[in-house]
Amino acid sequence: DEEFIQKRLSDNSGNLYKCLYPADLHYKGEDPNLYKEEFWGRPAYQLKTNLDANDYSDLAHFIDVLNFWVGESFKCEMERIFDIDTYLKNIALDILTSNWDGPIVNKNNFYLYHDPCSDKLVYLPYDLD
């Protein structure tokens, strides 16, 4: 959460999204406000920091790349905007420990943090059960 990034990251001024079911990273459209949609009274992608700006552009771009870019352009853009190594290490542990409640199976229980130092989204697992 916000306390975690304040204690562990050198720059905690980026967007932090709490992602809960159904955070399936499916494209809803190019308007960043579409990702503020609520389910059961809460958003699937809840911005926890920078609430005054309330800007979901970084998340919308990431989801666009994830869903529509292909080939070399996909590879280059994902390497530019997403911390792939951290994600792969965490997902490998999810698989090894049979964590069914994370992003792979339940589309649930993770954070995405836009790290201003690297200008990349970083995957942060949470509520591992």
Side-chain angles (χ1 to χ4, degrees), residues 45-109:
Y45 308 101
Q46 182 181 13
L47 187 61
K48 302 295 280 182
T49 58
N50 304 317
L51 300 178
D52 290 338
N54 199 25
D55 181 8
Y56 281 55
S57 297
D58 51 357
L59 179 66
H61 177 66
F62 172 68
I63 291 173
D64 175 52
V65 172
L66 192 61
N67 284 272
F68 294 110
W69 294 40
V70 296
E72 193 62 29
S73 62
F74 171 80
K75 179 182 179 290
C76 290
E77 188 65 3
M78 283 301 283
E79 288 174 348
R80 189 184 75 75
I81 66 169
F82 187 58
D83 183 349
I84 296 168
D85 290 340
T86 297
Y87 173 75
L88 291 176
K89 288 174 188 174
N90 280 286
I91 292 303
L93 287 172
D94 273 3
I95 292 167
L96 289 171
T97 60
S98 300
N99 179 21
W100 56 269
D101 201 24
I104 293 176
V105 178
N106 263 2
K107 317 303 183 226
N108 194 26
N109 291 349

Side-chain angles (χ1 to χ4, degrees), residues 9-13 113-120:
L9 300 171
S10 59
D11 187 341
N12 58 16
S13 65
Y113 177 65
H114 189 169
D115 182 357
C117 294
S118 66
D119 197 24
K120 293 182 178 189

